[in-house]
Amino acid sequence: MIISYPIQTAGIRSRILESGTGPREIWLVHGIGGRADRWRSCLEPLAQAGYRVRAVDLPGHGFASRTDDFPYTVAGFSAFMCETLAHHADGEPITLIGTSFGGQVALRTALDLHAGPDSPSLHALVLSAPTGICPLGPEVRAGLADRLAQTDRETVRSRLAFMTGMTGADLDVLVEEEYRIATFPGTPLAMRRLATMVREELDAQPLLESLARLARTLPVLQIWGEADRSISSEIGRRIAQGVPGMSSVLLPGVGHMPYVQAPELFNSEILRFLGRHA
């Protein structure tokens, strides 16, 4: 069973989706334009393996606050995650799982937690097609930013079709969910600010060397869809070369959202990895 409840962190109203009661915790971090319920195909399967699994809406996303004073930056989102974990994580150690920009946020969060002596301890880190580790380049960033800045229904459909490769009724359901959130008051402004961040900051401080150092002491898994058109799996290959201690999996025929497109495969790879590091 999945439950939902509101939280307030550092003045930001948000919500958590949760499943399971196990002593070990998994926290799921969505990407730009996503929200906690994008993980609904992962919550219960991971919980059934003995974990307490939680997904949170990042500021400006889902049912979280859209405030003018929140810093829509990597550091701002990472600070939000660290604060959320400090107040709402009950078990230790924690596994962080982040996708796309959420992977960048999860990595920065992991680095910040490792640096803080009183922070919750980490068990593992899972990154699905993460940004911010190897530069994407200005053309890729511009394309991502342009798609973010527009929130009309047709652009939402085009963006999701491009990211997932989905068609037909499955895509229709995803589009309608996304469009309802995209028309919440404050969302267009939040997406424009995020688009500016993508253009100007996303590649500003590549975290490859930091990830390589982290992977010496923390189990890290990278998952990439072989058919990812948003962020090429070539980026994943470069990351794997630069982080020899990291586990890396390439999912055949899967695009940028494996947790939506192939959740059984995605979940099984995570549980296999965590089982090796139990």
Side-chain angles (χ1 to χ4, degrees):
M1 182 177 68
I2 298 173
I3 63 172
S4 173
Y5 53 90
I7 63 168
Q8 181 144 337
T9 300
I12 298 291
R13 296 188 310 277
S14 186
R15 63 155 178 173
I16 286 175
L17 298 185
E18 179 179 319
S19 185
T21 58
R24 300 170 295 173
E25 291 198 14
I26 293 175
W27 284 77
L28 304 162
V29 188
H30 64 76
I32 293 178
R35 55 191 183 276
D37 55 272
R38 281 275 180 85
W39 297 104
R40 56 180 173 257
S41 296
C42 302
L43 285 158
E44 289 186 283
L46 295 177
Q48 288 167 6
Y51 293 92
R52 185 176 184 180
V53 190
R54 295 170 172 176
V56 60
D57 283 331
L58 294 176
H61 296 77
F63 294 93
S65 300
R66 282 92 162 124
T67 59
D68 292 339
D69 57 349
F70 180 79
Y72 285 82
T73 62
V74 178
F77 286 111
S78 299
F80 171 83
M81 280 305 304
C82 286
E83 189 80 6
T84 298
L85 293 173
H87 287 88
H88 298 284
D90 297 321
E92 291 189 28
I94 293 165
T95 294
L96 279 176
I97 302 177
T99 179
S100 195
F101 177 70
Q104 186 172 352
V105 172
L107 174 53
R108 274 293 300 267
T109 302
L111 294 168
D112 291 343
L113 292 179
H114 257 32
D118 299 323
S119 300
S121 62
L122 294 179
H123 173 63
L125 176 66
V126 179
L127 306 173
S128 177
T131 61
I133 299 174
C134 286
L136 302 181
E139 291 186 6
V140 174
R141 293 200 315 273
L144 293 173
D146 288 345
R147 289 191 291 273
L148 276 174
Q150 302 177 55
T151 55
D152 61 280
R153 183 181 273 105
E154 287 309 309
T155 302
V156 168
R157 171 177 288 276
S158 175
R159 180 172 71 243
L160 290 173
F162 181 80
M163 290 171 63
T164 67
M166 295 168 68
T167 60
D170 290 340
L171 178 61
D172 291 341
V173 170
L174 196 60
V175 168
E176 289 310 307
E177 289 178 352
E178 187 83 1
Y179 181 69
R180 285 199 297 272
I181 299 294
T183 54
F184 273 15
T187 300
L189 176 59
M191 291 300 108
R192 288 196 295 272
R193 292 180 65 186
L194 284 161
T196 299
M197 183 274 295
V198 168
R199 286 192 181 92
E200 298 177 359
E201 187 198 352
L202 202 66
D203 285 348
Q205 294 181 312
L207 295 171
L208 183 63
E209 292 184 4
S210 297
L211 176 59
R213 288 193 297 271
L214 185 67
R216 294 171 191 159
T217 58
L218 182 74
V220 180
L221 169 65
Q222 173 185 248
I223 300 177
W224 221 284
E226 186 181 35
D228 193 329
R229 296 191 295 172
S230 293
I231 306 176
S232 169
S233 60
E234 171 62 20
I235 297 286
R237 187 186 65 80
R238 288 162 52 193
I239 295 172
Q241 288 179 335
V243 188
M246 178 183 69
S247 300
S248 190
V249 173
L250 187 64
L251 304 181
V254 180
H256 191 62
M257 297 168 66
Y259 47 94
V260 172
Q261 297 168 266
E264 291 184 5
L265 182 58
F266 184 79
N267 294 332
S268 67
E269 292 292 351
I270 290 171
L271 292 175
R272 185 179 296 114
F273 167 73
L274 293 179
R276 292 200 304 268
H277 299 281

